[in-house]
Amino acid sequence: MRRGRKRHARAALAWLLLTVAFGLLIGCSDEANPPAVLPPDSADSAAGITDDGVLGEANDAAAKPFVIKTAQTRMGASTGAFYEIFVRSFYDSDGDGIGDLQGVIDKLDYVADLGFKGIWLMPIQPSPSYHGYDVTDYYDINPDYGTLDDLRRLTEEAHKRGIKIVMDLVVNHTSREHPWFLDAAGGTGSKYRNWYVWAEDRNLDTGEAGPWGQQVWHKRGDSTYLGVFWEGMPDLNFDEPAVRRELIKIGQFWLNQGVDGFRLDAAKHIYGDFASSAADPKTSERNVEWWQQFRSGMEEVNADVYLIGEVWDAPHVVAPYLDRALDSGFNFDLASLLIGAARMERAPDLAGVLNRMYETYGTRSGGSFVDAPFLSNHDQNRVMSELAGNVDRAKMAASLLLTLPGNPFVYYGEEIGMHGAKPDERIREPMPWSASGDAEGEANWEPSYHRQPGVSVEEQLADPDSLLNHYKTMLKWRNEEPLLGDGGIAAFPIANSGVAGFIRVWDDDMALVVHNMTGDAQVVDLQANGTVPFARIAERSKEGTSLADGKLELPPYSSVLLKP
């Protein structure tokens, strides 16, 4: 994902960030951000992308030419869609009610058949909490989940199927039950005392609030320690060189077990501890400097290591982390945009939004970042609950997600429309594999509060029109059309607020993607802004889609990919 690496045969090719211009516009779904207008140029008459970056064709002298101006910008190469798994809730191989690593192995064919090329494992290390984000041993596997041998078998079996494994790594803090912290709490004579932040040792003000106004100082005996997220999660001290050396050693250990990279929890909170300093650019610089050091250590073991960070903030805050540190940052702003568009059945300005982001990311990363779009994760309400149970809208949210650049991430169960809303336990419920709910392999570590009729893998695999099979269709498109992962994106204005259109281009390949976000059939005049080269339907999500004489007919809630 970084400069000079080869993720696949075409990774050396430049991505294309596109600026689109049309002569004589008749309208756009986002009137506040219309594309620039360029005058027709009779010289732009050759079909395809020419040496000067111009695409266009006019059938006769009176026809308005459709023109795309392209500006090449280096970006990293995508590797495919990732599937986020909460092991505890996924599949139980031994009948104890708790999902485990062998259960993930047992379901690798399911993940591969869906079309995923990667798996993100939520925390799998020992922890006193059900979620695992407070680690007590960085060199072992939670015994509820299995053993190191199980993990090694999982990575081997996944790799046989062309699936990469990324594991959650939580280094901002440990558990208060970690041996390091227990020793450090004993007093200033502890070897590990300076591995944590103690107010008394530094004469720090314990009255200062955390980044979102929370209490961050907690008592332990006669001492007071820093724990930004919770008293059970004491923060590590990254000013201590021994801490940095140990965490790099830990990352290298897991790479040597066969994992391909890490999802890095709370990546912007390494130094972002207080309300007064969280937004300070120097805080970001210190965070980035650590992740650059971490990346360097990981590349000693695996030059192609994939690092994706949780930096839940605006693009200008995310961008510095992509400078020789992280490959990707989860695109939280985009997730809200996609869910909102599906809910309102309105076309979002995806090309405009993404190209502004990508310009920022590309500049800071030297062109080596990879976007990481998603709809939901383990910290957010599930898509189906956000969309009030509307399966058609959930399909359109998935269609938007899976036709955008980068490595998209899908939370387990979203492909079958699991419901779930806060508190956290209710967005992390056991995966429904069977209609009955009591079949072999179903986890039951907690009751399924949100379980719905018809929402199981068994039922949806048997239904060709199910949400699960829609995900399979869209992932198939993505895997068969490399430009959907690696291509640039450009606007294609459509004078219908319920129909989204954008162009994807990679090298000498291009496609027009159109989504009917609404429950009504729609007809789109593709020639409204000039003669276009997209003359055939390469992929369609529904029967009844047709293209004739430049008129594209779309059934309700449907998607199409057009090629020249």
Side-chain angles (χ1 to χ4, degrees):
M1 299 271 175
R2 312 305 296 178
R3 288 185 295 274
R5 287 194 238 146
K6 295 182 179 179
R7 290 270 177 190
H8 51 63
R10 305 178 78 177
L13 295 174
W15 274 40
L16 299 176
L17 287 180
L18 306 174
T19 303
V20 183
F22 296 89
L24 194 57
L25 292 175
I26 68 168
C28 176
S29 61
D30 184 5
E31 295 180 358
N33 295 287
V37 178
L38 295 182
D41 184 349
S42 59
D44 298 334
S45 58
I49 300 177
T50 62
D51 291 339
D52 60 358
V54 177
L55 163 70
E57 181 174 6
N59 292 331
D60 55 60
K64 303 187 298 291
F66 171 95
V67 180
I68 301 176
K69 294 286 186 178
T70 68
Q72 289 196 346
T73 302
R74 274 193 55 82
M75 295 186 186
S78 67
T79 55
F82 279 74
Y83 189 60
E84 179 188 358
I85 292 177
F86 182 34
V87 175
R88 181 173 295 273
S89 287
F90 194 59
Y91 192 81
D92 171 21
S93 73
D94 58 11
D96 65 356
I98 297 173
D100 45 52
L101 292 176
Q102 182 59 51
V104 179
I105 295 171
D106 291 345
K107 289 299 179 180
L108 279 175
D109 286 340
Y110 169 77
V111 176
D113 185 58
L114 283 172
F116 289 103
K117 299 299 182 183
I119 289 173
W120 158 23
L121 297 173
M122 287 173 61
I124 57 174
Q125 294 157 325
S127 167
S129 300
Y130 82 93
H131 50 70
Y133 282 99
D134 47 342
V135 175
T136 56
D137 185 348
Y138 282 105
Y139 292 97
D140 206 352
I141 298 293
N142 187 327
D144 287 342
Y145 296 167
T147 66
L148 282 169
D149 284 340
D150 292 328
L151 177 69
R152 285 189 282 265
R153 282 195 297 273
L154 171 58
T155 60
E156 290 169 4
E157 291 299 321
H159 293 162
K160 289 178 184 177
R161 294 163 173 81
I163 296 173
K164 295 183 179 294
I165 299 291
V166 168
M167 64 175 279
D168 236 308
L169 190 62
V170 186
V171 302
N172 176 74
H173 51 263
T174 70
S175 169
R176 64 183 167 189
E177 298 181 23
H178 195 291
W180 300 342
F181 183 74
L182 295 175
D183 193 292
T188 56
S190 168
K191 169 186 175 181
Y192 298 103
R193 182 70 175 187
N194 201 44
W195 285 39
Y196 297 88
V197 181
W198 303 92
E200 295 79 11
D201 297 357
R202 299 188 175 194
N203 294 317
L204 296 173
D205 177 11
T206 58
E208 187 170 4
W212 50 92
Q214 81 278 27
Q215 172 60 253
V216 297
W217 292 105
H218 313 284
K219 295 294 293 184
R220 179 79 176 202
D222 295 329
S223 297
T224 305
Y225 65 91
L226 181 68
V228 169
F229 288 95
W230 174 53
E231 66 183 29
M233 297 176 172
D235 280 35
L236 287 165
N237 173 21
F238 281 81
D239 288 333
E240 170 55 59
V243 167
R244 293 188 173 215
R245 288 195 298 270
E246 183 67 17
L247 294 176
I248 289 171
K249 179 182 173 185
I250 288 165
Q252 292 175 336
F253 170 83
W254 291 103
L255 292 178
N256 282 322
Q257 307 312 304
V259 304
D260 300 286
F262 304 103
R263 179 266 185 184
L264 300 166
D265 182 66
K268 75 169 188 171
H269 291 290
I270 300 301
Y271 286 103
D273 299 326
F274 305 108
S276 62
S277 60
D280 188 333
K282 292 182 179 178
T283 299
S284 177
E285 291 172 7
R286 297 176 77 192
N287 288 334
V288 171
E289 183 274 328
W290 153 247
W291 291 120
Q292 289 172 338
Q293 182 181 355
F294 182 81
R295 161 157 231 108
S296 179
M298 298 309 99
E299 288 182 340
E300 292 176 9
V301 175
N302 180 357
D304 290 328
V305 63
Y306 181 46
L307 301 182
I308 179 168
E310 181 196 30
V311 185
W312 198 331
D313 215 316
H316 75 276
V317 176
V318 177
Y321 291 84
L322 304 175
D323 178 13
R324 295 169 291 119
L326 309 180
D327 296 289
S328 304
F330 288 109
N331 200 328
F332 286 92
D333 282 3
L334 180 62
S336 299
L337 179 65
L338 297 178
I339 296 294
R343 182 189 297 117
M344 300 300 293
E345 299 191 354
R346 289 184 62 89
D349 177 25
L350 290 172
V353 168
L354 289 176
N355 278 323
R356 287 190 290 272
M357 287 184 183
Y358 294 170
E359 182 178 5
T360 301
Y361 294 166
T363 298
R364 290 304 299 262
S365 70
S368 59
F369 79 96
V370 179
D371 198 13
F374 70 103
L375 298 176
S376 71
N377 64 25
H378 63 278
D379 286 324
Q380 298 169 303
N381 291 345
R382 285 189 174 273
V383 172
M384 193 61 81
S385 290
E386 288 292 303
L387 298 179
N390 189 306
V391 176
D392 290 316
R393 291 175 178 174
K395 288 181 178 179
M396 295 317 300
S399 295
L400 290 172
L401 171 71
L402 296 173
T403 51
L404 295 178
N407 293 333
F409 281 72
V410 176
Y411 189 35
Y412 80 96
E414 294 295 1
E415 77 275 16
I416 57 173
M418 283 180 67
H419 290 63
K422 296 277 191 174
D424 286 347
E425 291 86 346
R426 291 182 178 173
I427 54 179
R428 304 168 184 175
E429 292 184 353
M431 179 79 163
W433 293 99
S434 66
S436 65
D438 59 3
E440 180 180 348
E442 293 224 5
N444 58 15
W445 65 273
E446 74 161 0
S448 294
Y449 179 86
H450 286 288
R451 191 166 187 133
Q452 301 283 325
V455 180
S456 74
V457 173
E458 177 186 34
E459 293 165 285
Q460 294 204 15
L461 280 174
D463 177 6
D465 195 41
S466 68
L467 181 59
L468 184 152
N469 279 307
H470 181 76
Y471 266 89
K472 286 181 67 173
T473 294
M474 300 311 296
L475 285 163
K476 181 174 180 289
W477 289 17
R478 191 171 193 89
N479 292 332
E480 292 181 353
E481 294 285 352
L483 63 78
L484 290 179
D486 291 310
I489 184 170
F492 185 83
I494 294 173
N496 182 330
S497 64
V499 180
F502 47 85
I503 301 166
R504 302 298 313 280
V505 180
W506 186 39
D507 193 29
D508 58 352
D509 196 10
M510 60 182 174
L512 172 62
V513 179
V514 183
H515 301 289
N516 179 4
M517 307 292 296
T518 76
D520 298 319
Q522 304 288 348
V523 178
V524 177
D525 181 4
L526 298 181
Q527 313 290 352
N529 298 297
T531 303
V532 300
F534 306 105
R536 65 181 178 90
I537 296 175
E539 304 283 0
R540 72 190 82 196
S541 67
K542 280 189 176 182
E543 294 299 321
T545 305
S546 65
L547 176 62
D549 299 324
K551 300 294 192 298
L552 177 64
E553 295 190 19
L554 293 164
Y557 302 115
S558 65
S559 302
V560 63
L561 187 146
L562 306 176
K563 300 292 286 285

